[in-house]
Amino acid sequence: MPIDQQLRYWGLAGLVFIALLWVMGDVLLPFITGMAMAYFLNPVVTKLQNRGVPRTAAVSALMALAFGVVVLAGGLIIPAVVTQAVQFSETAPDLLTRLQEFLTARFPDIAQLEDTLRNSLSSLGEAIRDRGAALAQGVLRSVSGLVGALVFLVVTPVVAFYLLLDWERLVRQIDDLLPRQHAPVLRHLAGEIDASIAGFVRGQVTVCFILAAYYATALGLIGLQFGLAIGVTAGLISFIPYIGAIIGGALAIGVGLWQFWGSPLEIGLVLAVFVFGQMLEGNVLVPRIVGDSVRLHPVWLLFAVSAFGALLGFTGMLIAVPLAASIGVLVRFGVAQYMDSKLYGKGGEPK
């Protein structure tokens, strides 16, 4: 079969695969999550195996530890975060009304804008309450669906367990399927993609969890209302530089002004939490854990999360960042090939 015809068939197969992802996004969620868990845990299993621990024992121990962490988070942290998020969405209209009264009382010059301000703040408050309540109800419905939750909780660790056991064999089988003529280039690209995903995704996930724990703990010690939900949210969306701190800081300072008005120390502490968090992220966590060589542009990340999330829902958001990292590697390879080609003019300008 000619190569161009093979490429057409492989292109058609790729389109069919994308269509299946779009149609079966929710069904594939536990399998994709299990694959992600296996990918993240495989380096740890390999290190334990190199130290003489049998692979089956290493996989079993890691899966037991991961299961314990999930149970702890599901039993203690997630319900508290969801509860605070629901309370915040319900309290938002009252907070914004008090903000309007505060601004009107202390800045009489804007009295002529009172009606516009009232309508704008009321609309914003109602929107936050409606959207927040709808989001919270959607999350609760998704999690509380007995069959879906049980399937997710059972299938995900089973998929991860068997993939971890057979990881090395699967890699060898995939390598055997590579076309021999292009195998070195494909191995090189696969290595760069793995390095990009490992450096960014694994590293940035670690950074996000550290920041979520830091923000939630610090705001909780200050006594900020809804501090747990705000801190966790700010930390988990910190994979896009500055976005987590901006959104979390705006929410925290807004709530702090309402709660601690007249106590500048507490308000200053809330601001200091996010300033120190940005310094910690930019100067310590990201350089040491992620590194500068694999960082992805924030605009590209926003586009990837938005596009894949719109196409495939939560499943698309789950695979958006790894796909963005992979596409980035392929684009850089394509640009390098172009600049080394006659089309670009390698070897001198044409006469």
Side-chain angles (χ1 to χ4, degrees):
M1 184 182 296
I3 294 178
D4 57 345
Q5 190 173 356
Q6 293 185 42
L7 291 175
R8 283 197 294 269
Y9 280 119
W10 281 112
L12 180 61
L15 292 176
V16 171
F17 177 73
I18 294 173
L20 287 175
L21 281 179
W22 182 66
V23 173
M24 303 178 63
D26 294 336
V27 177
L28 296 175
L29 179 60
F31 296 92
I32 294 176
T33 307
M35 293 171 62
M37 286 182 61
Y39 177 77
F40 290 137
L41 295 177
N42 181 64
V44 182
V45 174
T46 302
K47 289 182 179 180
L48 293 174
Q49 191 177 12
N50 292 337
R51 293 176 178 268
V53 180
R55 190 170 183 88
T56 303
V59 172
S60 301
L62 275 179
M63 292 304 300
L65 178 62
F67 181 77
V69 171
V70 170
V71 170
L72 180 64
L76 298 178
I77 301 175
I78 295 177
V81 173
V82 172
T83 299
Q84 286 200 6
V86 173
Q87 292 175 349
F88 177 75
S89 66
E90 293 175 347
T91 311
D94 181 55
L95 292 177
L96 292 172
T97 299
R98 296 188 183 187
L99 176 61
Q100 172 203 335
E101 295 173 353
F102 166 82
L103 292 175
T104 304
R106 287 166 175 76
F107 301 99
D109 292 338
I110 64 171
Q112 63 271 22
L113 300 177
E114 183 176 354
D115 292 337
T116 303
L117 182 63
R118 181 188 298 112
N119 294 333
S120 300
L121 291 176
S122 299
S123 300
L124 179 59
E126 293 298 329
I128 293 175
R129 182 175 62 185
D130 295 341
R131 297 294 183 183
L135 176 61
Q137 291 173 3
V139 171
L140 292 174
R141 282 198 302 269
S142 300
V143 176
S144 62
L146 183 59
V147 176
L150 288 177
V151 169
F152 184 84
L153 292 175
V154 172
V155 172
T156 298
V158 170
V159 171
F161 179 82
Y162 283 108
L163 284 178
L164 281 172
L165 285 181
D166 297 332
W167 191 270
E168 295 177 343
R169 182 177 61 84
L170 290 172
V171 171
R172 287 195 301 269
Q173 289 181 345
I174 293 173
D175 184 79
D176 291 338
L177 293 175
L178 297 178
R180 297 298 93 185
Q181 182 180 358
H182 304 289
V185 175
L186 293 175
R187 291 192 191 104
H188 174 71
L189 288 175
E192 286 197 359
I193 290 173
D194 178 65
S196 181
I197 294 177
F200 185 84
V201 179
R202 288 176 181 155
Q204 197 64 55
V205 166
T206 304
V207 170
C208 287
F209 278 108
I210 292 175
L211 288 175
Y214 160 71
Y215 285 135
T217 302
L219 294 177
L221 290 176
I222 294 173
L224 183 71
Q225 194 174 4
F226 315 116
L228 178 62
I230 294 174
V232 170
T233 301
L236 293 184
I237 62 177
S238 293
F239 68 94
I240 304 175
Y242 308 112
I243 297 298
I246 290 173
I247 294 177
L251 291 174
I253 292 172
V255 174
L257 288 172
W258 168 73
Q259 182 179 351
F260 299 125
W261 182 255
S263 301
L265 176 61
E266 283 81 1
I267 298 174
L269 288 175
V270 172
L271 179 62
V273 164
F274 285 91
V275 172
F276 180 76
Q278 276 297 287
M279 295 173 58
L280 180 67
E281 179 185 3
N283 298 318
V284 179
L285 296 179
V286 171
R288 291 181 177 271
I289 299 177
V290 180
D292 294 329
S293 60
V294 294
R295 297 196 69 180
L296 300 176
H297 197 281
V299 175
W300 174 233
L301 283 176
L302 281 171
F303 175 78
V305 172
S306 301
F308 288 109
L311 289 174
L312 304 174
F314 183 76
T315 304
M317 296 178 67
L318 190 66
I319 65 176
V321 176
L323 285 179
S326 303
I327 293 171
V329 170
L330 296 178
V331 168
R332 288 193 294 270
F333 174 76
V335 171
Q337 293 298 305
Y338 161 70
M339 296 186 70
D340 197 41
S341 67
K342 294 181 180 180
L343 180 63
Y344 177 72
K346 184 71 174 179
E349 294 292 335
K351 297 181 180 180

